[in-house]
């Protein structure tokens, strides 16, 4: 397809794409508002309200982070269940289920009695709701990004599919701002008594809006064609086991690409709160305000990086992110040590900008690794399994190292090693800029090589 043809196609489809992006982002904002609300509350609320008292403040935070990690453990299971469902019945229907699940779980979290009121049942119920939340989120990401990626023009897929990624910091901004307002206007006893609950209850409004918007969109033609073909042939060539059997390389490369990106993000937005607030005694409201500003910058940067990945390719952008992201810990923590507001803020912003170099093009990269009939399962597994050994453990390990050594050095080395792993994965990545998803499906048809559509230069697949 020529550049002029792609421009005409993009112009003709822009109203549809805008509606699809809005539907995807609406749900993703609330999903990640709820998920990150839990992450932030883990560091300032749950360790004091819903968990038993620990020997010191670091142990309490670690315990809260362990309940936080339960959601990450549930995410691959959600990816398996909802990936299979999304490949079989459609992206739209699956996303309507996930948004309601995570909304209900989050509202119920805001209703939980304290540990002092019901004892051990408080953390048990918290973990159960966290599991449901993680299960839903495990199915949310793949459907949200594929809904956009499969509608987008071939030459602009990274840009359009980066918008659901941008909804992640937007959801985090909302969660951080709500908590910041509450901690700013309420005295600490009032905030711990009831103020934090309001933030969880507010998610109900956004859930209903997101659900309504998602009722007004349809699955992409490329998916409808693949589904019709599966129905005609009564095909069983979809689902997790089929992906692992036919596309193990895509799954492994996707996991490697995700590793440093996921660790970097949770060190910047979660462990930074612990380090600044506990080790350096910076005011909580000030930290949350800086995190909110940094997420606004992150939101702006992600689509710009997505456009860059469409122009220069996926590999060079990702390689830059892996290299730069791996260095962040070595200079970020000394910068935090200055306790100078603008230096701390700039450090957090730069960390998220490095992250965006890896994060923005992930939907396009992973969508281009798998054929349509198993794409939801493929991207969900590659994306979600990594979170168990990356994002879920990163703040736990960093806090434990800080408690036991009093130093940030182990965390910086940990991030650098993760950067090397992702660098290797990016070097193994096939450049798929501009590839046609229909050509990819044709290349994966019976009788063709499992990865024949992406072995050569992607433009060859368009001819």
């Amino acid at each position: 397809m020529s550049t002029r043809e792609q421009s005409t196609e993009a112009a003709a489809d822009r109203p549809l794409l805008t509606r699809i992006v809005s539907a995807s982002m609406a749900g993703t904002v609330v999903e990640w508002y709820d998920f990150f609300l839990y992450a932030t509350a883990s560091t300032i609320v749950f360790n004091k309200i819903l968990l038993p008292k620990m020997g010191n403040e670091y142990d309490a935070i670690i315990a809260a982070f362990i309940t936080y990690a339960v959601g990450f453990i549930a995410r691959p299971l959600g990816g398996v269940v909802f990936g299979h469902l999304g490949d079989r019945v459609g992206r739209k229907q699956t996303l309507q289920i996930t948004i309601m699940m995570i909304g209900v779980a989050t509202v119920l979290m805001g209703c939980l009695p304290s540990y002092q009121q019901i004892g051990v049942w408080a953390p048990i119920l918290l973990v159960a709701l966290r599991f449901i939340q993680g299960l839903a989120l495990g199915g949310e990401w793949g459907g949200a990004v594929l809904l956009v990626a499969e509608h987008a023009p071939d030459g602009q897929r990274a840009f359009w599919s980066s918008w659901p990624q941008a909804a992640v910091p937007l959801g985090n901004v909302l969660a951080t701002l709500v908590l910041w307002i509450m901690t700013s206007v309420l005295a600490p006893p009032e905030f711990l008594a009831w103020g934090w609950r309001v933030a969880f209850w507010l998610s109900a409004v956004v859930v209903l809006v997101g659900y309504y918007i998602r009722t007004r969109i349809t699955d992409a033609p490329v998916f409808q064609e693949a589904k019709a073909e599966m129905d005609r042939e009564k095909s069983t060539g979809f689902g997790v086991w089929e992906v692992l059997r036919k596309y193990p390389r895509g799954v492994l490369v996707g996991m490697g690409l995700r590793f440093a990106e996921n660790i970097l993000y949770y060190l910047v937005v979660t462990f930074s709160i612990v380090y600044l607030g506990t080790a350096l005694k910076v005011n909580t409201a000030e930290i949350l305000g800086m995190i909110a500003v940094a997420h606004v910058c992150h939101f702006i940067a992600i689509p710009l990086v997505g456009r860059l990945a469409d122009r220069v390719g996926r590999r060079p952008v990702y390689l830059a992110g892996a290299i730069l992201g791996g260095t962040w810990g070595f200079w970020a923590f000394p910068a935090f040590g200055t306790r100078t507001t603008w230096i701390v803020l700039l450090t957090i912003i730069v960390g998220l900008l490095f992250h965006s170099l890896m994060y923005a093009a992930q939907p396009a990269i992973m969508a281009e690794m798998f054929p349509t009939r198993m794409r939801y399962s493929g991207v969900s597994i590659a994306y979600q399994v990594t979170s168990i050994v990356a994002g879920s453990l990163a703040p736990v390990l960093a806090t434990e190292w800080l408690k036991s050594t009093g130093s940030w050095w182990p965390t910086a080395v940990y991030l650098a090693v993760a950067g090397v792993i992702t660098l290797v994965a990016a070097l193994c990545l096939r450049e798929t800029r501009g590839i046609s998803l229909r050509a990819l499906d044709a290349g994966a048809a019976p009788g063709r090589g499992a990865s024949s559509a992406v072995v050569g230069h992607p433009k060859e697949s368009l001819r």
Side-chain angles (χ1 to χ4, degrees):
M1 183 181 293
S2 69
T3 302
R4 179 176 297 179
E5 288 172 327
Q6 288 183 346
S7 299
T8 303
E9 179 186 352
D13 290 344
R14 189 171 295 272
L16 172 63
L17 279 168
T18 302
R19 190 166 69 251
I20 295 295
V21 167
S22 299
S24 180
M25 289 186 68
T28 304
V29 165
V30 69
E31 304 272 3
W32 288 95
Y33 168 87
D34 294 347
F35 204 75
F36 285 123
L37 185 62
Y38 188 106
T40 307
S42 293
T43 66
I44 60 179
V45 176
F46 293 161
N47 55 314
K48 301 172 183 176
I49 297 295
L50 298 177
L51 299 173
K53 291 185 178 180
M54 301 290 177
N56 60 66
E57 57 185 339
Y58 285 123
D59 286 337
I61 292 171
I62 290 170
F65 277 149
I66 290 172
T67 70
Y68 174 61
V70 170
F72 286 89
I73 295 171
R75 281 164 63 173
L77 179 58
V80 170
V81 173
F82 292 109
H84 186 88
L85 186 65
D87 281 333
R88 193 67 191 96
V89 304
R91 284 60 164 134
K92 171 185 172 177
Q93 290 177 266
T94 305
L95 289 174
Q96 289 174 315
I97 297 171
T98 59
I99 194 173
M100 292 305 297
M101 283 179 61
I102 198 168
V104 170
T106 305
V107 170
L108 290 177
M109 282 181 186
C111 300
L112 286 176
S114 68
Y115 186 85
Q116 289 70 28
Q117 291 173 315
I118 61 171
V120 71
W121 280 105
I124 289 175
L125 291 173
L126 178 65
V127 169
L129 291 173
R130 175 64 174 167
F131 186 86
I132 294 171
Q133 196 184 52
L135 191 72
L137 188 59
E140 162 67 23
W141 183 83
V145 298
L146 291 183
L147 196 64
V148 179
E150 291 177 344
H151 277 92
D154 296 334
Q156 300 179 22
R157 187 172 297 115
F159 169 71
W160 284 105
S161 62
S162 70
W163 282 101
Q165 301 289 75
V168 174
L170 190 57
N172 207 351
V173 167
L174 292 178
T176 305
L177 282 177
V178 169
L179 289 173
W180 175 70
I181 291 171
M182 292 297 178
T183 56
S184 298
V185 302
L186 296 176
E190 293 175 317
F191 175 75
L192 290 176
W194 60 269
W196 66 274
R197 298 180 185 276
V198 174
F200 283 78
W201 294 336
L202 286 175
S203 68
V205 178
V206 192
V207 164
L208 294 175
V209 172
Y211 182 87
Y212 171 75
I213 293 176
R214 285 185 172 179
T215 63
R216 303 178 64 82
I217 49 94
T218 59
D219 287 314
V222 69
F223 170 77
Q224 294 174 359
E225 293 164 10
K227 184 176 183 300
E229 182 177 352
M230 285 192 296
D231 291 342
R232 282 195 306 270
E233 299 177 358
K234 294 182 172 53
S235 172
T236 58
F238 63 94
V240 173
W241 302 120
E242 192 74 5
V243 170
L244 294 177
R245 186 173 70 87
K246 290 189 174 180
Y247 294 88
R249 183 183 187 278
V251 172
L252 289 174
V253 171
M255 292 173 66
L257 293 175
R258 181 98 163 103
F259 194 66
E261 171 266 306
N262 201 220
I263 289 173
L264 174 62
Y265 189 79
Y266 284 98
L267 291 179
V268 174
V269 305
T270 303
F271 179 68
S272 290
I273 298 175
V274 176
Y275 189 79
L276 292 168
T278 305
L280 301 181
K281 307 302 180 185
V282 178
N283 178 267
T284 299
E286 183 180 355
I287 297 171
L288 292 176
M290 288 189 289
I291 293 287
V293 171
H295 277 298
V296 171
C297 297
H298 198 208
F299 170 75
I300 295 170
I302 287 174
L304 298 178
V305 175
R307 189 176 292 279
L308 180 66
D310 280 327
R311 291 182 176 176
V312 305
R314 284 65 163 127
R315 287 182 84 234
V317 174
Y318 219 102
L319 286 168
I323 294 169
L324 294 173
T327 69
W328 184 80
F330 291 110
W331 56 267
F333 292 108
F336 287 160
T338 66
R339 295 181 175 84
T340 303
T341 299
W342 72 268
I343 293 178
V344 173
L345 174 60
L346 184 61
T347 300
I348 296 172
I349 290 173
V350 171
L352 291 180
L353 292 180
F354 289 169
H355 175 263
S356 68
L357 293 172
M358 295 181 279
Y359 196 58
Q362 272 184 7
I365 291 171
M366 292 191 184
E368 292 158 359
M369 287 179 174
F370 307 100
T372 302
R373 70 177 183 274
M374 58 184 73
R375 183 170 294 127
Y376 203 143
S377 296
V379 301
S380 294
I381 292 301
Y383 189 88
Q384 303 297 355
V385 169
T386 316
S387 64
I388 296 179
V389 294
S392 68
L393 291 179
V396 177
L397 292 174
T399 304
E400 176 61 35
W401 289 327
L402 182 62
K403 183 192 78 168
S404 59
T405 69
S407 172
W408 50 264
W409 265 96
T411 300
V413 172
Y414 168 59
L415 178 59
V417 171
V420 171
I421 293 172
T422 293
L423 178 65
V424 171
L427 290 172
C428 295
L429 181 68
R430 294 172 177 136
E431 181 56 67
T432 52
R433 174 173 60 94
I435 193 172
S436 163
L437 297 184
R438 285 187 172 87
L440 179 61
D441 288 347
R448 301 285 297 275
S451 57
S452 61
V454 293
V455 170
H457 192 283
K459 289 185 179 179
E460 294 299 320
S461 301
L462 301 177
R463 291 177 181 172

